[in-house]
C-alpha cells in the first residue's frame, strides 16, 4: 500500500514538473507565478487653454456691408466712421473706441470688410487682417450668402463651412495668437417682419434687395412663407457652422447667437433701404460685441 502511494506521489510530481516546464510563466511550489505588472507610461499633461484677453490693444474687422456701415449715413455708400467694429463716431461708440480709446482707433484698428462680400471672400480678408498682426479680429459675414435673388442661389452649407475653416487657417498662419470674435448672421425673417409694416420698406424692397427673403414682402401665402422659412433655416445652419468651427479654435469666441436673436426694430434699420443697420443699429451691434468680448 505504501509503495503505491509513493508511486502515485512520484507520478504527480513528475507531471507537475513537465507542466511547469512547458508553461510560458514559471511555477512555484504552491501556485502559478503571476505575470509581472508592466509599468504604465506617464500620460502627457494637456496644455492649458490660452486665457482670453478682455482688453486687446488692436482690432481688425472683416466682413461685409454691415461692418462697412453701408447706407447708415447716406444712400448707397459706405460710412465706416459709424461702423460697429472700428468707427470713430462717439454716438455709436464702436468696439474699437471702447477697447482702444479715441486716440488709438486710427492707428490700431483696420476695417477690411467689403460691401457685397460673401463667405467665399473671407479667406482673402483674413489674410489681410493677419498681415496687420492684430490682437483681435472681428468677423461678421454670411448675410449675403443667404440674401440671394432666390433661395436656390444661397451658398451651400458645406461651401460656407469650407470657406470659414480656410479663413481661420489663413489667420492662424499669419497671426497665430490673434483672438477672434464671430458674430452670428442676423435673423433675416425678423427683418422682413419688421420692415413689411412700413410702406417705405415695402417700396424699397421692390428694387430687389435680398429677394430670397424680401421679394413679394406683402404676400402671406403658403408658398411665400415656405420660401422665407427656407432662408431662415439656411441662416440657422450657417450660424451652426460658425459656432462649431469657432469652438475648435481656443482663441475664438462665437457670440452665442446674440446678433441673430437681437429684437431690433425699425429705428435700428437704415431709412434708405430698411435692410442695413442705421447708426442706432450699429451702436447696438457694438454693444453686443463688447459684452461678449469682455466676458471674464
Amino acid at each position: 500500500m505504501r509503495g503505491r502511494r509513493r508511486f502515485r506521489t512520484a507520478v504527480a510530481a513528475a507531471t507537475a514538473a513537465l507542466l511547469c516546464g512547458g508553461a510560458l510563466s514559471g511555477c512555484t511550489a504552491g501556485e502559478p507565478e503571476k505575470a509581472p505588472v508592466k509599468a504604465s507610461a506617464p500620460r502627457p499633461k494637456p496644455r492649458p487653454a490660452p486665457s482670453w484677453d478682455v482688453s486687446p490693444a488692436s482690432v481688425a474687422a472683416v466682413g461685409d456691408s454691415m461692418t462697412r456701415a453701408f447706407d447708415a449715413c447716406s444712400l448707397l455708400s459706405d460710412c465706416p466712421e459709424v461702423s460697429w467694429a472700428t468707427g470713430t463716431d462717439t454716438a455709436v461708440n464702436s468696439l474699437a473706441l471702447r477697447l482702444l480709446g479715441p486716440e488709438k482707433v486710427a492707428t490700431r484698428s483696420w476695417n477690411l470688410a467689403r460691401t457685397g462680400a460673401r463667405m467665399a471672400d473671407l479667406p482673402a480678408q483674413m489674410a489681410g487682417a493677419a498681415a496687420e498682426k492684430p490682437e483681435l479680429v472681428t468677423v461678421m459675414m454670411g448675410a449675403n450668402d443667404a440674401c440671394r435673388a432666390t433661395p436656390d442661389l444661397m451658398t451651400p452649407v458645406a461651401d460656407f463651412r469650407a470657406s470659414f475653416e480656410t479663413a481661420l487657417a489663413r489667420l492662424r498662419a499669419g497671426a497665430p495668437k490673434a483672438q477672434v470674435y464671430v458674430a452670428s448672421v442676423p435673423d433675416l425673417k425678423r427683418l422682413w417682419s419688421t420692415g413689411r409694416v412700413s410702406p417705405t420698406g415695402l417700396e424699397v424692397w421692390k428694387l430687389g434687395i435680398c429677394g430670397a427673403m424680401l421679394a413679394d414682402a406683402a404676400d402671406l401665402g403658403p408658398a411665400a412663407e415656405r420660401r422665407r422659412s427656407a432662408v431662415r433655416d439656411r441662416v440657422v445652419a450657417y450660424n451652426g457652422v460658425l459656432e462649431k468651427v469657432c469652438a475648435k479654435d481656443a482663441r475664438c469666441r462665437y457670440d452665442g447667437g446674440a446678433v441673430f436673436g437681437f429684437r431690433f426694430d425699425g429705428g435700428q434699420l437704415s431709412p434708405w433701404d430698411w435692410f442695413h443697420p442705421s447708426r442706432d443699429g450699429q451702436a447696438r451691434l457694438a454693444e453686443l460685441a463688447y459684452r461678449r468680448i469682455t466676458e471674464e
Side-chain angles (χ1 to χ4, degrees), residues 237-274:
Y238 289 163
N239 285 335
V241 168
L242 296 176
E243 180 178 19
K244 291 176 182 176
V245 174
C246 182
K248 296 177 182 178
D249 187 314
R251 298 181 187 273
C252 185
R253 276 191 179 184
Y254 176 62
D255 76 353
V259 172
F260 177 83
F262 179 62
R263 308 289 291 178
F264 55 84
D265 58 33
Q268 278 103 45
L269 296 178
S270 165
W272 290 283
D273 64 21
W274 281 79

Side-chain angles (χ1 to χ4, degrees), residues 88-280:
T88 55
D89 189 308
T90 56
V92 172
N93 198 13
S94 72
L95 178 65
L97 268 179
R98 296 170 193 239
L99 293 174
L100 311 178
E103 67 283 352
K104 294 183 180 178
V105 170
T107 58
R108 302 301 297 158
S109 68
W110 306 270
N111 192 323
L112 305 173
R114 184 175 62 80
T115 293
R118 299 201 293 271
M119 186 56 78
D121 301 306
L122 190 62
Q125 289 189 20
M126 277 293 209
E132 302 294 348
K133 298 296 187 290
E135 293 190 11
L136 174 70
V137 178
T138 67
V139 180
M140 184 175 287
M141 185 77 89
N144 289 328
D145 291 271
C147 272
R148 311 299 292 153
T150 58
D152 60 297
L153 295 176
M154 294 186 295
T155 302
V157 176
D159 294 349
F160 187 90
R161 178 185 294 107
S163 293
F164 186 46
E165 290 174 338
T166 300
L168 282 180
R170 293 273 181 91
L171 176 67
R172 290 290 164 245
K177 294 184 179 180
Q179 296 181 160
V180 184
Y181 163 76
V182 179
S184 49
V185 181
D187 186 349
L188 299 176
K189 193 171 185 182
R190 175 165 177 79
L191 182 142
W192 163 78
S193 66
T194 300
R196 73 182 184 86
V197 300
S198 165
T200 303
L202 290 176
E203 287 302 312
V204 170
W205 290 349
K206 289 178 182 179
L207 298 176
I209 299 173
C210 195
M213 176 61 73
L214 303 180
D216 303 316
D219 185 357
L220 301 180
E225 281 297 294
R226 284 194 296 271
R227 169 172 54 84
R228 296 181 192 114
S229 294
V231 176
R232 188 179 191 274
D233 290 345
R234 183 62 57 89
V235 169
V236 170
Y238 289 163
N239 285 335
V241 168
L242 296 176
E243 180 178 19
K244 291 176 182 176
V245 174
C246 182
K248 296 177 182 178
D249 187 314
R251 298 181 187 273
C252 185
R253 276 191 179 184
Y254 176 62
D255 76 353
V259 172
F260 177 83
F262 179 62
R263 308 289 291 178
F264 55 84
D265 58 33
Q268 278 103 45
L269 296 178
S270 165
W272 290 283
D273 64 21
W274 281 79
F275 177 82
H276 290 93
S278 63
R279 268 188 172 90
D280 186 55

